[in-house]
Amino acid sequence: GFMEKVTDKKTFRADIFLLIVALIWGSGFVATKNGLNYITPLYMLAFRFGISTILMFLIFFKRVKKATVKDFIAGFIIGVFLYLGFAVQTFALQYTTASKQAFITGTNVVMVPFLYWAVSKEKPDTFDIIAALLCFTGIGILSFEKGFKMGLGDGLTLLCALFYAAHIVAIGHFAPKHDPIILAVFQILWTFILSLISALIFEPVPGPITKEMAFPIVYLAVFGTTFAFLIQNVAQKYTSSTKTAIILSMESVFGSLLSFIILKEPFTFKFLIGCVAILLSIITTETKWSFIRKS
């Protein structure tokens, strides 16, 4: 009895922490949308991941010293997908609302089983297929403008979700063979390097740093990147992947709610229906509704 209670407490605490991560990532859509008024997308990522890289190296200096060439390469591969996801997402946010983007980004969990299939030959199950259909119906309802065309921002966000899915599959591939913290440090380092290089090539040098510009960047670097990735790594020790993913998929819900509250984005019936479909698809693919069937 007593030991079980202790583990339950740890699991509960891990779940609460993951919910905080989902809330932070949800708020990240709002912070990014605000930040884009003052700074271009790639420089924003370069600053965000640059600060985060420094923090990670300071916190885990001893661990990083033990890293091998293999760790470095695995971190690079994961980092490339993370960078592509973030770069496309941040760019796309200029052309769509933060609330729509929050939901479309959430569809990456539905893509994961299909990408995993391509890598490992493990077929997606019926739940995954139902989820995919539900999910894309939801995106359709959410994103199609009049005359059945999809907005540029939403189309690009769908591409970003694909990169995030690839990022998750890459972590799944390398994590068993590597220290997850070392992988986290290197993927953030590589995202910083790639963002900086592409910012220098494609974007004008930012003007003087202002309060409006600094706040979203520091917030995203400290909480949205350093804090969130670390909590996720630690929390997953104490709770199941399925639970992790359901809780983290709340990111889309928080992202939209905060966009309505803070950015005063329009809330429509069409939006509601689209989001419900996407949310159901995320829960379907993540849990296969086992939490209902078990009890």
Side-chain angles (χ1 to χ4, degrees):
F2 176 68
M3 277 321 287
E4 271 168 36
K5 272 206 182 72
V6 175
T7 0
D8 278 353
K9 213 165 160 184
K10 276 193 171 159
T11 304
F12 180 68
R13 204 177 303 158
D15 292 347
I16 294 292
F17 270 115
L18 285 170
L19 197 59
I20 294 169
V21 171
L23 185 58
I24 291 169
W25 280 346
S27 68
F29 291 98
V30 176
T32 307
K33 187 83 176 173
N34 273 333
L36 286 172
N37 296 326
Y38 307 100
I39 188 167
T40 49
L42 292 169
Y43 273 108
M44 184 154 163
L45 289 179
F47 281 125
R48 169 182 180 172
F49 280 89
I51 295 169
S52 191
T53 300
I54 295 166
L55 288 172
M56 291 291 249
F57 272 98
L58 290 174
I59 302 169
F60 297 111
F61 184 67
K62 285 201 179 87
R63 274 215 151 114
V64 175
K65 277 202 307 203
K66 296 187 193 125
T68 60
V69 175
K70 279 196 172 132
D71 289 329
F72 197 65
I73 295 167
F76 173 70
I77 295 167
I78 298 169
V80 168
F81 288 124
L82 189 62
Y83 158 74
L84 287 168
F86 267 107
V88 172
Q89 183 178 37
T90 310
F91 179 74
L93 191 51
Q94 298 174 105
Y95 305 100
T96 186
T97 61
S99 41
K100 269 193 192 178
Q101 187 173 69
F103 265 97
I104 296 175
T105 302
T107 64
N108 70 68
V109 293
V110 181
M111 302 175 183
V112 169
F114 294 92
L115 278 183
Y116 190 68
W117 181 25
V119 177
S120 72
K121 306 286 175 281
E122 263 186 55
K123 279 205 171 87
D125 59 23
T126 323
F127 287 102
D128 293 328
I129 293 161
I130 294 169
L133 294 171
L134 255 175
C135 177
F136 292 109
T137 310
I139 294 173
I141 297 168
L142 205 58
S143 312
F144 284 119
E145 316 288 332
K146 288 184 187 64
F148 244 44
K149 66 179 194 310
M150 189 173 200
L152 172 70
D154 296 333
L156 284 171
T157 303
L158 201 53
L159 179 64
C160 116
L162 186 64
F163 288 133
Y164 283 142
H167 170 245
I168 292 170
V169 172
I171 290 180
H173 178 72
F174 291 112
K177 302 188 270 299
H178 300 264
D179 172 351
I181 304 246
I182 291 180
L183 286 185
V185 175
F186 281 138
Q187 68 181 19
I188 288 171
L189 170 70
W190 280 114
T191 304
F192 160 63
I193 294 170
L194 294 167
S195 302
L196 185 63
I197 294 169
S198 49
L200 291 166
I201 297 170
F202 295 112
E203 292 179 352
V205 179
I209 293 184
T210 59
K211 188 169 86 254
E212 293 85 9
M213 193 159 117
F215 179 74
I217 292 168
V218 172
Y219 176 76
L220 290 167
V222 175
F223 294 103
T225 309
T226 312
F227 184 70
F229 278 107
L230 290 179
I231 287 186
Q232 191 188 348
N233 277 316
V234 177
Q236 283 194 254
K237 271 197 171 107
Y238 300 105
T239 190
S240 68
S241 310
T242 303
K243 242 161 122 185
T244 302
I246 302 177
I247 297 170
L248 290 181
S249 67
M250 287 298 294
E251 172 194 351
S252 355
V253 182
F254 287 139
S256 297
L257 288 175
L258 291 167
S259 304
F260 299 135
I261 297 165
I262 300 169
L263 302 176
K264 311 278 187 284
E265 290 183 358
F267 180 83
T268 60
F269 186 61
K270 190 174 87 161
F271 181 89
L272 184 68
I273 304 272
C275 294
V276 168
I278 291 174
L279 204 57
L280 284 174
S281 80
I282 293 171
I283 295 170
T284 303
T285 198
E286 287 307 348
T287 64
K288 326 238 177 263
W289 298 94
S290 58
F291 58 95
I292 294 176
R293 289 181 299 159
K294 269 189 199 116
S295 48

